[in-house]
Amino acid sequence: MNKIVGKEHFSENVVKFVVEAPLIARSRKAGHFVIVRVGEKGERIPLTIAGADLEKGTIDLVIQAVGKSSGKICKLNVGDYMTDIAGPLGQATHIEKVGTVVCAGGGVGVAPLYPIVEAFHQAGNRVIVVLAARTKDLIIMEEQMKAVSSEVVIMTDDGSYGSKGLVTNGVESVVNREKVDLCVTIGPAVMMKFVTELTKKYNIPTIASLNTIMVDGTGMCGACRVTVGGKTRFVCVDGPEFDAHQVDFEEMMMRQRSYKSME
């Protein structure tokens, strides 16, 4: 049982939880994720760790209420418990000094992008963050990103905040003014696909953190399989991060729609 000690609404349907998990807080690195379960018969939901406090022994989890299980979790309050949290899982982000890194996040994908931005910044890189959402109200973690990056570019579909346009417009505006050595993207699959197509055109190495369907998180079930460079990989143990230019996004998005009618 993991106690919730903090809760904050980023938007109407996006909630940040601070949860007691001292062992995970001690061993997690940027890019790691956990699998959360609420209730003895609850669905197992993968969530990337958005931050951790070693002294308090807590981790930060950000979740968007989009279905029955995620909605149930979002209704929890401070003092409630998550039945169990397994992790840290997956491969940590490879962090090194490469120069200028553009980190592009869309929607709730901004949360798992935060520790990656922080790690690249601490490694001495110039980190430019591009945050994108449909409207101003859906932009999250802007101030947190500003504290650990060199610059934050805001893009909204309707132009209600920052510049009007898509995340790709923001990334391309940076590419057109300076040399970019690496791009990291996290968000909806279709967003990552178009960011990847853009960076491929400019020959910029790109990492995508994939958000596939996942069940056990240990490579046993195969539900999270994706094709990368023509080979089958499992997001839970081989990822969640891959060379974006090698990912078959069309296949991935098709598999994500498998249970759409049930949702």
Side-chain angles (χ1 to χ4, degrees):
M1 300 286 279
N2 300 83
K3 186 177 182 180
I4 297 171
V5 296
K7 180 180 182 181
E8 176 185 356
H9 279 271
F10 283 155
S11 65
E12 184 179 357
N13 295 317
V14 179
V15 181
K16 171 189 170 184
F17 289 103
V18 181
V19 187
E20 289 182 345
L23 295 180
I24 297 176
R26 187 186 309 164
S27 55
R28 73 95 204 187
K29 293 181 179 178
H32 278 148
F33 69 95
V34 295
I35 289 185
V36 174
R37 187 169 64 104
V38 174
E40 291 302 324
K41 295 183 179 181
E43 181 182 4
R44 304 174 82 250
I45 298 178
L47 297 171
T48 306
I49 303 170
D53 190 315
L54 288 176
E55 291 185 4
K56 296 180 180 178
T58 61
I59 59 172
D60 299 338
L61 301 175
V62 177
I63 185 166
Q64 183 177 20
V66 293
K68 182 177 179 181
S69 296
S70 55
K72 181 179 179 181
I73 293 177
C74 287
K75 290 179 181 178
L76 296 175
N77 293 302
V78 173
D80 291 336
Y81 289 83
M82 293 186 179
T83 307
D84 47 49
I85 300 178
L89 301 171
Q91 301 295 321
T93 306
H94 177 68
I95 303 294
E96 62 179 332
K97 187 173 182 179
V98 296
T100 297
V101 182
V102 170
C103 295
V108 75
V110 171
L113 189 64
Y114 174 76
I116 296 172
V117 171
E118 183 180 40
F120 272 112
H121 176 72
Q122 291 176 346
N125 294 283
R126 170 171 164 76
V127 183
I128 302 171
V129 180
V130 180
L131 303 182
R134 293 193 307 274
T135 67
K136 178 181 179 180
D137 293 341
L138 297 177
I139 293 290
I140 66 172
M141 300 185 72
E142 179 186 355
E143 294 306 316
Q144 293 94 322
M145 288 295 192
K146 285 181 177 179
V148 294
S149 65
S150 303
E151 181 184 353
V152 174
V153 177
I154 305 290
M155 304 297 300
T156 51
D157 292 1
D158 62 0
S160 56
Y161 191 49
S163 299
K164 183 176 182 179
L166 304 175
V167 65
T168 47
N169 299 126
V171 173
E172 191 162 30
S173 70
V174 176
V175 172
N176 285 334
R177 76 179 194 221
E178 61 185 285
K179 181 179 182 295
V180 174
D181 301 287
L182 177 68
C183 179
V184 180
T185 181
I186 308 180
V190 67
M191 185 212 88
M192 293 189 288
K193 173 193 172 184
F194 284 114
V195 169
T196 298
E197 290 178 354
L198 174 68
T199 59
K200 195 170 186 177
K201 182 176 72 172
Y202 289 102
N203 198 30
I204 300 170
T206 302
I207 296 169
S209 181
L210 306 185
N211 50 358
T212 54
I213 293 170
M214 196 176 293
V215 180
D216 72 289
T218 62
M220 296 294 288
C221 72
C224 67
R225 65 185 181 275
V226 291
T227 299
V228 182
K231 297 181 179 180
T232 298
R233 293 287 183 262
F234 298 108
V235 172
C236 64
V237 292
D238 299 318
E241 297 174 2
F242 296 94
D243 177 347
H245 296 162
Q246 298 295 315
V247 174
D248 185 337
F249 281 102
E250 289 299 327
E251 178 192 63
M252 174 184 158
M253 289 188 290
M254 179 184 68
R255 287 181 55 78
Q256 282 183 315
R257 294 192 292 268
S258 298
Y259 302 99
K260 199 68 178 177
S261 61
M262 299 178 188
E263 292 178 355

